[in-house]
Amino acid sequence: MHNYKELKVWREAIDLTQSIYLVSANFPSEEKFGLTSQIRRASVSVPSNISEGSGRNSIGEFKQFLGIANGSLCEVETQLIIAEKLNFVNENEELEELFDKIDHIQKMIFKLKNSLN
């Protein structure tokens, strides 16, 4: 249906995932199987669902997977807020940059969904 590698939103989601891995590398070691794992899985889910949806048989299915990707973005954002509250993330500028990336990708997903007819 679509070549996901050509979708800017997919590339942006890959970049976000890389940023999440770098930030979460500084989480406490006891969080390896907790918040670190959870936020990484949620971030990986974003580009994964975009690519999976692009390979589906119908526009409706693609839209559904874009919705799942958006839900994963909300999950990542929530987990970043929790990490901040637990003082796992303390660089406000870095955190704001991640929130801005999430917001940007959400807008891109919304526009892509609306363009599919």
Side-chain angles (χ1 to χ4, degrees):
M1 181 179 216
H2 287 86
N3 182 350
Y4 66 89
K5 292 177 187 173
E6 293 178 4
L7 294 172
K8 185 175 180 186
V9 67
W10 177 81
R11 292 191 306 268
E12 297 270 345
I14 291 288
D15 290 344
L16 174 66
T17 300
Q18 181 182 15
S19 296
I20 292 297
Y21 266 76
L22 293 173
V23 166
S24 63
N26 297 320
F27 288 4
S29 60
E30 63 267 14
E31 285 298 320
K32 181 178 180 181
F33 300 109
L35 192 57
T36 303
S37 175
Q38 186 76 19
I39 198 169
R40 286 177 173 187
R41 282 183 287 128
S43 69
V44 167
S45 178
V46 179
S48 297
N49 277 292
I50 293 168
S51 62
E52 184 173 356
S54 73
R56 291 298 176 135
N57 295 322
S58 71
I59 291 171
E61 285 180 294
F62 190 15
K63 286 182 175 183
Q64 181 180 0
F65 277 88
L66 290 173
I68 294 167
N70 189 55
S72 294
L73 284 168
C74 293
E75 190 177 349
V76 170
E77 186 173 35
T78 296
Q79 292 159 356
L80 284 172
I81 292 167
I82 292 167
E84 180 184 31
K85 296 241 180 241
L86 295 171
N87 295 317
F88 296 169
V89 181
N90 52 9
E91 291 185 32
N92 288 336
E93 188 175 305
E94 184 177 36
L95 194 57
E96 283 305 313
E97 186 178 312
L98 289 171
F99 289 142
D100 289 345
K101 283 182 181 184
I102 290 167
D103 184 58
H104 179 67
I105 295 168
Q106 286 176 321
K107 288 175 182 172
M108 291 176 77
I109 288 173
F110 180 77
K111 287 178 184 177
L112 178 57
K113 279 180 77 171
N114 285 339
S115 74
L116 298 172
N117 290 319

